[in-house]
Amino acid sequence: MARLYVVATPIGNLSDMSDRVRETLAECDLIAAEDTRVTMKLLNVLGISKPMTSCHQHNEVGKAQGLVERMIREDLKVALTCDAGTPGISDPGGPVVEAAWENGVEVVPVCGPSAVVTALSASGFDTREFAFYGFLPREKKELRDKLEAILRAGVPVAVLYESPHRVVKLVEEIVSALPGVRMLVCCDLTKRYEKLLRGEGEAVLRALRENPNVEKGEYCLVLDLHQVPQPQAPQADIGASELILQRMMEGESLDQAARSAMDQCSRNEVYRAKLKVRTFLERYLEEEE
């Protein structure tokens, strides 16, 4: 019976690999790998030899359906892997899993290391609720808009990924856009030179700037947004007509209300609004009669 195993592989330390992962890779008929060269190194360590096919971000959409049809036709058990971590979590894999479901192929998750959960567990923040955003936009305006959107969404803790060459710029934008943010910045989780920086955003930023090796390794960031003030909702613009009617409901005459409206609106706008309100009131009174 065709079956798709979604296999999480170590994010750095091979000792984190479970016996179940080893057994799955040894027993499957085919491995759909993000990068066959990377997966080959892992198989060599395990002493396993299996046929492989590449399934990466540039070909997975077009390849998914054909791969699943082959699984059904040849009754294959396929292990889906990415270079490190869990397929589909900011890594290739989603289209193949979706195609498997749509074609009635059993999907079996083989859990394992995840940078998201690993970083959250080491943060010490209140992580009962969190959201994962992966890699944020690179353009400054789009990045700022995304950070503001995350804050407006009321997310208490956010988890991000970033490349080593952009991490300082990202943290600079975070500190600027999210005053009061606390964060944990993780570099090369589970690897030999693993480094964790935790604290107020500005302190973490200073530590990153002072680190001569900051552009080495892969980064996972946990943002604690509990103490970041929520942006105030923009006040709706009130036109001159509304202001005049509001003043009249408070007891002012039309002329008095118009003069009051000039404190917030231009003379021309108030003049047009005054005529509009007078016409409206005259028609209303005619209908009442």
Side-chain angles (χ1 to χ4, degrees), residues 185 191 226:
V185 175
K191 297 180 182 178
H226 285 90

Side-chain angles (χ1 to χ4, degrees), residues 107-177:
V107 176
V108 180
V110 182
C111 63
S114 166
V116 176
V117 176
T118 302
L120 284 167
S121 70
S123 71
F125 303 143
D126 182 352
T127 58
R128 287 174 292 180
E129 294 183 54
F130 69 89
F132 173 59
Y133 290 92
F135 291 91
L136 298 190
R138 292 190 172 188
E139 296 298 325
K140 186 172 183 177
K141 184 182 183 303
E142 293 179 1
L143 172 57
R144 180 60 67 99
D145 290 344
K146 185 64 176 181
L147 290 172
E148 292 177 354
I150 291 172
L151 185 59
R152 288 195 303 270
V155 173
V157 174
V159 186
L160 319 172
Y161 284 163
E162 189 53 278
S163 66
H165 301 292
R166 296 185 53 82
V167 67
V168 173
K169 290 184 179 180
L170 173 63
V171 175
E172 287 174 348
E173 287 299 320
I174 291 171
V175 170
S176 175

Side-chain angles (χ1 to χ4, degrees), residues 9-19 21-22 111-113 189-190:
T9 55
I11 59 177
N13 194 322
L14 291 179
S15 299
D16 292 335
M17 187 161 45
S18 69
D19 290 339
V21 170
R22 294 184 178 89
C111 63
L189 281 169
T190 79

Side-chain angles (χ1 to χ4, degrees), residues 195-264:
K195 187 174 181 61
L196 277 63
L197 293 171
R198 181 185 186 276
E200 301 295 330
E202 293 181 355
V204 172
L205 177 57
R206 284 196 301 271
L208 289 173
R209 286 170 171 167
E210 294 169 358
N211 180 7
N213 297 313
V214 68
E215 293 191 357
K216 295 180 180 179
E218 297 297 327
Y219 285 85
C220 181
L221 294 77
V222 182
L223 310 184
D224 180 12
L225 306 176
H226 285 90
Q227 303 303 319
V228 179
Q230 286 286 327
Q232 294 184 350
Q235 295 184 346
D237 292 334
I238 300 178
S241 299
E242 289 82 358
L243 286 171
I244 291 173
L245 288 170
Q246 186 179 68
R247 291 287 188 171
M248 292 182 70
M249 291 178 65
E250 294 173 357
E252 294 184 2
S253 67
L254 177 57
D255 289 337
Q256 290 172 328
R259 284 195 295 271
S260 298
M262 289 183 186
D263 293 337
Q264 299 182 45

Side-chain angles (χ1 to χ4, degrees), residues 4-99:
L4 178 68
Y5 293 96
V6 185
V7 182
T9 55
I11 59 177
N13 194 322
L14 291 179
S15 299
D16 292 335
M17 187 161 45
S18 69
D19 290 339
R20 187 176 178 219
V21 170
R22 294 184 178 89
E23 292 168 0
T24 301
L25 294 176
E27 294 175 3
C28 69
D29 301 305
L30 175 70
I31 297 176
E34 177 182 2
D35 188 327
T36 56
R37 296 165 299 181
V38 173
T39 301
M40 178 63 73
K41 293 178 182 178
L42 179 63
L43 295 179
N44 288 339
V45 171
L46 299 175
I48 297 173
S49 177
K50 289 289 174 178
M52 288 189 288
T53 183
S54 64
C55 192
H56 48 73
Q57 63 176 334
H58 302 297
N59 72 356
E60 61 177 342
V61 173
K63 193 169 184 176
Q65 183 62 31
L67 175 61
V68 171
E69 290 176 356
R70 178 187 172 190
M71 292 172 62
I72 297 172
R73 184 173 61 252
E74 300 180 20
D75 196 26
L76 298 178
K77 295 179 181 179
V78 173
L80 177 67
T81 67
C82 57
D83 292 348
T86 304
I89 309 300
S90 277
D91 275 312
V96 176
V97 176
E98 182 179 14

